[in-house]
Amino acid sequence: MVTNVDNGPALWRDPGARAEDRVADLLRRMTLEEKVAQLYGVWVGIDATEGEVAPHQHEMAAAPVDWEELIRSGLGQLTRPFGTAPVDPLVGAKGLAESQRQIMAAGRFGIPALVHEECLTGLAAWTATVFPSPLCWAASFDPELVQRMGALIGENMRRLGVHQGLAPVFDVARDLRWGRVEETMGEDPHLVGTIGSAYVRGLESTGVVATLKHFVGYSASRAGRNLAPVSAGPREIADVFLPPFEMALKAGARSVMNSYTDIDGVPSAGDPALLTSLLRETYGFTGTVVADYFSIAFLQALHGVAGSPGEAAALALEAGIDVELPTVACYGQPLVEAVRGGAVDEALVDRALRRVLLQKCELGLLDADWSPDSPAILDGAVSLDSAESRAVAGDLARRSVVLLANDGTLPLRAGAKLAVVGPRADTAQAMLGCYSFPMHVGVHHPEVPVGVDIPTLAEAMKAAPEAYDVVVAEGCPVVGGDDEAIAAAARAAAEADVCVAVLGDQAGLFGNGTSGEGCDAVDLRLPGRQEELLEALLATGTPVVLVLLVGRPYELSRQLDRLAAVVCGFFPGEEGGPAIADVLSGRVAPSGRLPVSFPRADSSQPGTYLAAALGRLTDVSSVDPTPLFPFGHGLGYGAATWGDVRLGTGPEWDTAGTSEVEVELRNDTDREVTEVVQVYLHDPVAEVVRPVQALVAAQRVDLAAGGAATVRFRLHADLTSYTGRDGVRIVEPGEVELRVGASSTDVRQVLRCTLTGRRRTVGFERRLHPETVVEHRRDG
C-alpha cells in the first residue's frame, strides 16, 4: 500500500466533510511510525516506586521518557494529567494546554492527544467532588439521579480539557470476597445495566467518552482473587456478564476496556472472539477499545501467551485493542518492527487507527481551529466542587443509605447522650472508595490537603440540630488495635443512652486496605478486631446501633439479634457523613435497598442471589447459603401499604409481545415513605438450569404523607430470554411467574403467565429495559 502521500488539499482538516472521508484522507498521508504513534498513550509522571495505582506499576514503569523524541511522530493519548499527583486544576489545565501545543508542533499533522482520566466516583482530580461509590448508585435505585451525577462529572472533565473517562465498571459481583465489589453496582445484571447505563448517558451527554469496564467476566475470578483466572462458561458469560455491557452500548458508550483476566485459558486482551467477533460484528460497536493498564504487556509478563513485547502487540492488535494504555510498551517500536518484519499486517494497524482517528474527529481534535485552551483557562478560574455537585452528592448519599434492621431505637431521640465509637466514626476516609482521588492518589501525598470538605459522621452528629451529647472513641483501627482502646470505647458506650458503632473498611489498593483493587478478603467477617469491639459494646447493655461504612457486605449473624439497629452506607462520598446523620436523626427516612446480599453464618460463602435451585439450601449439603439480608432488602421509618398487584393484560403473554404489571401503593403514615417495587422472573421449566429468579424490573416510588401511586410495568417477552442449549438466546413458550415484591424474598404477589406463540431467537437487538410509568395521586 502507498503511505506518506502528503500532497493535495487536506480534506481531513475540513469539518464539513464526512468523518470517514476525512480519516481516510489523513490515514493515506501517514507513515507507519505516525500511525503507530496514534495507538498508544503516555503517562507523564508515572513513578515506579511511590503511589502505585495500577497493578505491577513498579515493574512496568519505564525510565523517564524523552518527551521531544516521543512526540516527534505524534501521540494518541495523554494519561491522567490531573489524576497522577495533586495539582491545582487551573495550573494543571495550563500545563495540559502547553503539552498539547508541544504535541501539535512536533508532529507533521498537528494532531493533539486525546486526554483520559479516571472518574468512577467523580473526576479523579484534586479538589473535585467525591460522589458516592457505585454500590451507592445501585442502592438508590434512582437512575435519573445517577444520570445527573454523570453529567456533572462530565462537565468538570470538559472544563479541564479531558476527553475520555475510564468508567463505569459493569462487572456483576459474583464473589463478595473480591476487593473490587465496591466498584461494582451489585450482583444483578439488570440493576447493573440500568444504573450503569444512566451514568453513561449522563457522561456522554457532555461530549465526554464513557469507557465500559471490564470486558468481560473480570468479577468471576476464582476465589474472589484479583486478576485470577475465570472459569465461567459461555452461558454464564452470556446471561450474567454481557447484558449490562449491551445495555450500556445501547446507551451510547463510545469506548470499551478489556478485562485483565483469562476465561478458560484465553486472556481477554488477546481474544478476537470477544473483542472483534462479539463486540464489533455481533454488537456493531464502532468506538475504540482501550487496554486496561499494562494489560497488553501482561500477555507476556503474566499470562505467558507471548514471548516478547512485539508478540504481545500482535496478539492484542489482532484481537481488537486499538489503544495501549497507560503508557507505551508494546505498541511503539516493538509493533513497528513487527510490521516491518512481516509478523503483523499493516492493515491491522490501519483498522485500529481508523477507529482512533474517527473518535478524534468526533471530538473536534482534527479541526484546524481546535484550541488546547480549555474553558477553565479561558475563564481564568475553575471550581470542581460546585454547590450543585455537592447537592447531588448529598442527595445520592441520602437515597442510598440502607436500614437493614431496627427495633425502634432509630430514629434517635433529640438530646440523647451518644457514644459514637469505632474506627470509621471520626475519619473522612471512611466515606471514600479506592478510586476516589483522596484514597487513590492523595494518600501518597500526606503533605497536601484533601482538597474538599468531607465531614465525618462524628462531626455531623455533633452538628446535628437535635443537640445530641456526643462522646467519640475509636476503639480500634480497621486492622489491629489493643485491649485498652477497646475497653475505653466500651466504657464510653456504658455511659451513653445509645452507642453508635461505626465499623467497616479502609479503602486501598493492592493490599493497602481491606477493600479495593487487590484488597481481596479471605472471608466475610469484619476486618481486624472490629467484631471483638462490637462484642464489647454489646456487653455493656447499652443499645447499639451499628453503622457500616463498607465496600462489601459482611457477616453479622452472631450479633444481629442483639443489635438495636443496623445501617449500611457503601462509601457514600463527601456528603456521606451528614447523609447518615440525617437518617439516624430521622430528618431523612432511610430509603436505599441492597444491591448485594449480606451473608449468613460462617462468612466464607461467596454466592449471590442469582442461584439455581441446587445453589440454595438443600437436603444434600450441610452448608446453608441463605443470606442474612437478601438482595433488594431495605427498611424505612414507615412503610407503603400495598394494594392490588395484577396483570393488566391478562395471563397470556405472546412470545413477541408485552405483559403489563400494575401495582397500587399508598402511604398511610404521616411522613414520606419510599418503596422500591421489584419484579422477578421465575421460569419453572427451561432448556437449561436457570436461576430460581432474576430481576427484570424495579421502580423507586417516593410517596408523600397521604399520597398514593399506581406503578405500571410494561415487560417485553425479550426480558424472559436466556441462552439455550445450542448457545443461542431464545424466548420460548411456556409457564412463567412474575414475582412482585419489596425484595428478592419479600414477595407480595405471584402472577402466573403463559407465554404463547412461536419459539423466538433474539440477540443484541432485543428489548433490555421495561417501560415504567408511575401515576401519583392523593387518596381521599
Side-chain angles (χ1 to χ4, degrees):
M1 65 181 293
V2 179
T3 60
N4 197 23
V5 178
D6 194 14
N7 49 36
L11 178 65
W12 67 274
R13 281 294 196 191
D14 181 2
R18 292 176 65 248
E20 293 81 0
D21 295 336
R22 295 175 67 184
V23 167
D25 179 62
L26 177 56
L27 192 149
R28 71 183 178 86
R29 300 169 184 265
M30 300 175 80
T31 66
L32 176 60
E33 285 78 6
E34 289 167 335
K35 292 177 181 180
V36 169
Q38 292 295 318
L39 305 186
Y40 54 73
V42 170
W43 197 352
V44 178
I46 185 175
D47 194 302
T49 58
E50 181 183 348
E52 187 163 324
V53 297
H56 292 269
Q57 179 179 318
H58 60 289
E59 299 168 10
M60 296 296 172
V65 298
D66 183 334
W67 174 250
E68 292 186 1
E69 178 62 27
L70 184 72
I71 63 176
R72 193 178 308 280
S73 295
L75 182 62
Q77 291 211 15
L78 280 169
T79 292
R80 299 177 65 170
F82 299 93
T84 298
V87 58
D88 177 271
L90 186 56
V91 172
K94 291 177 179 178
L96 172 59
E98 177 58 27
S99 295
Q100 291 282 37
R101 287 191 174 90
Q102 293 172 7
I103 293 166
M104 295 165 70
R108 286 194 304 138
F109 300 102
I111 304 170
L114 188 149
V115 181
H116 78 259
E117 291 285 356
E118 298 284 358
C119 58
L120 188 65
T121 58
L123 171 60
W126 189 59
T127 73
T129 303
V130 182
F131 290 95
S133 75
L135 278 178
C136 289
W137 315 346
S140 77
F141 277 79
D142 193 338
E144 290 78 15
L145 187 56
V146 171
Q147 182 169 335
R148 187 178 170 200
M149 176 193 70
L152 288 169
I153 294 171
E155 288 171 7
N156 269 351
M157 299 174 83
R158 285 296 297 269
R159 201 168 289 132
L160 296 178
V162 178
H163 310 104
Q164 181 172 5
L166 304 187
V169 172
F170 279 85
D171 297 299
V172 178
R174 297 295 274 174
D175 188 328
L176 301 174
R177 297 171 297 182
W178 190 46
R180 302 191 79 168
V181 167
E182 66 166 74
E183 298 178 51
T184 76
M185 289 164 272
E187 65 187 47
D188 179 84
H190 178 79
L191 180 61
V192 172
T194 298
I195 298 296
S197 294
Y199 179 102
V200 167
R201 285 192 295 273
L203 196 70
E204 288 277 359
S205 72
T206 67
V208 173
V209 175
T211 304
L212 312 184
K213 300 159 64 171
H214 306 86
F215 198 71
V216 65
Y218 186 21
S219 54
S221 57
R222 292 177 188 165
R225 296 179 61 248
N226 198 41
L227 271 70
V230 170
S231 299
R235 187 168 290 101
E236 184 179 2
I237 296 293
D239 289 355
V240 175
F241 295 108
L242 287 174
F245 287 95
E246 295 176 72
M247 295 167 81
L249 291 173
K250 290 182 176 182
R254 288 181 287 168
S255 188
V256 170
M257 176 179 279
N258 69 282
S259 165
Y260 278 130
T261 55
D262 72 84
I263 301 174
D264 195 24
V266 180
S268 297
D271 189 355
L274 181 66
L275 300 180
T276 295
S277 298
L278 178 64
L279 184 61
R280 301 288 185 183
E281 296 167 10
T282 300
Y283 292 170
F285 177 63
T286 59
T288 56
V289 175
V290 299
D292 203 348
Y293 283 14
F294 306 120
S295 63
I296 297 177
F298 287 169
L299 292 172
Q300 177 188 5
L302 300 185
H303 294 297
V305 296
S308 67
E311 288 182 13
L315 282 174
L317 193 65
E318 182 179 4
I321 292 181
D322 303 312
V323 181
E324 181 179 23
L325 298 181
T327 201
V328 59
C330 302
Y331 272 19
Q333 193 59 30
L335 179 55
V336 170
E337 292 173 1
V339 173
R340 291 245 158 86
V344 174
D345 190 339
E346 190 171 348
L348 290 175
V349 174
D350 292 348
R351 182 181 72 171
L353 180 60
R354 284 190 189 92
R355 297 164 184 161
V356 168
L357 293 179
L358 276 171
Q359 197 153 89
K360 287 195 171 187
C361 188
E362 290 174 359
L363 294 167
L365 299 180
L366 301 188
D367 296 351
D369 61 353
W370 184 85
S371 170
D373 291 330
S374 64
I377 295 174
L378 297 176
D379 295 342
V382 59
S383 172
L384 300 181
D385 190 26
S386 68
E388 182 182 7
S389 290
R390 289 199 74 99
V392 170
D395 287 347
L396 188 52
R398 283 186 288 273
R399 292 168 85 81
S400 69
V401 175
V402 185
L403 178 62
L404 299 176
N406 186 21
D407 69 359
T409 299
L410 294 181
L412 299 168
R413 66 172 178 83
K417 184 175 183 179
L418 305 179
V420 180
V421 305
R424 305 286 81 192
D426 203 20
T427 171
Q429 290 186 353
M431 306 298 163
L432 309 177
C434 76
Y435 266 77
S436 65
F437 185 85
M439 302 307 295
H440 202 68
V441 176
V443 291
H444 304 295
H445 301 271
E447 74 284 359
V448 179
V450 173
V452 290
D453 182 30
I454 308 174
T456 71
L457 180 54
E459 291 169 343
M461 295 304 292
K462 288 178 179 179
E466 289 77 14
Y468 298 119
D469 180 3
V470 177
V471 174
V472 179
E474 182 185 52
C476 66
V478 172
V479 176
D482 55 50
D483 294 347
E484 183 178 345
I486 291 176
R491 287 193 296 271
E495 297 172 0
D497 298 324
V498 177
C499 174
V500 179
V502 193
L503 310 181
D505 279 314
Q506 172 79 23
L509 294 168
F510 312 114
N512 292 314
T514 60
S515 174
E517 185 173 358
C519 297
D520 311 314
V522 174
D523 60 37
L524 295 176
R525 299 181 77 151
L526 284 165
R529 299 185 69 179
Q530 292 185 78
E531 186 172 340
E532 187 179 346
L533 170 63
L534 185 56
E535 287 290 352
L537 301 175
L538 288 166
T540 65
T542 299
V544 177
V545 173
L546 174 60
V547 175
L548 294 170
L549 294 170
V550 292
R552 63 164 67 84
Y554 284 102
E555 196 270 293
L556 306 172
S557 296
R558 286 167 296 282
Q559 294 83 34
L560 180 60
D561 61 354
R562 292 174 286 149
L563 289 166
V566 182
V567 173
C568 183
F570 295 105
F571 292 142
E574 65 181 34
E575 285 291 316
I580 294 173
D582 285 347
V583 169
L584 295 178
S585 68
R587 291 189 298 274
V588 171
S591 61
R593 300 295 187 268
L594 285 180
V596 286
S597 308
F598 267 63
R600 199 173 287 274
D602 292 330
S603 72
S604 62
Q605 296 301 308
T608 70
Y609 97 100
L610 284 178
L614 289 176
R616 298 194 170 196
L617 177 62
T618 69
D619 294 332
V620 295
S621 173
S622 59
V623 175
D624 182 0
T626 305
L628 186 65
F629 297 115
F631 174 84
H633 170 74
L635 305 175
Y637 292 149
T641 300
W642 285 60
D644 287 345
V645 179
R646 57 186 175 268
L647 288 169
T649 49
E652 290 201 353
W653 186 357
D654 191 280
T655 55
T658 59
S659 178
E660 292 186 2
V661 174
E662 298 180 356
V663 180
E664 299 290 344
L665 300 172
R666 68 177 189 274
N667 180 5
D668 297 328
T669 76
D670 60 358
R671 65 178 300 159
E672 181 177 277
V673 301
T674 295
E675 187 62 272
V676 177
V677 181
Q678 301 164 45
V679 183
Y680 295 86
L681 176 74
H682 169 64
D683 190 348
V685 179
E687 277 190 10
V688 298
V689 176
R690 301 194 64 195
V692 171
Q693 60 184 11
L695 188 71
V696 292
Q699 179 63 45
R700 180 187 175 108
V701 184
D702 299 317
L703 293 169
T710 301
V711 185
R712 293 188 176 89
F713 298 100
R714 192 173 188 183
L715 310 174
H716 196 278
D718 287 357
L719 292 169
T720 72
S721 67
Y722 66 93
T723 303
R725 287 192 177 189
D726 59 0
V728 175
R729 181 174 289 277
I730 59 171
V731 178
E732 61 175 351
E735 305 296 323
V736 296
E737 292 178 1
L738 296 173
R739 300 177 175 180
V740 186
S743 80
S744 57
T745 60
D746 184 3
V747 175
R748 304 299 175 89
Q749 187 70 50
V750 176
L751 303 174
R752 293 177 174 83
C753 306
T754 303
L755 283 159
T756 61
R758 63 184 179 86
R759 182 180 188 271
R760 297 173 53 237
T761 297
V762 297
F764 182 69
E765 79 294 340
R766 71 190 186 281
R767 285 78 158 181
L768 291 163
H769 292 277
E771 298 175 20
T772 307
V773 175
V774 180
E775 296 179 359
H776 286 274
R777 63 182 185 279
R778 291 195 65 85
D779 281 356

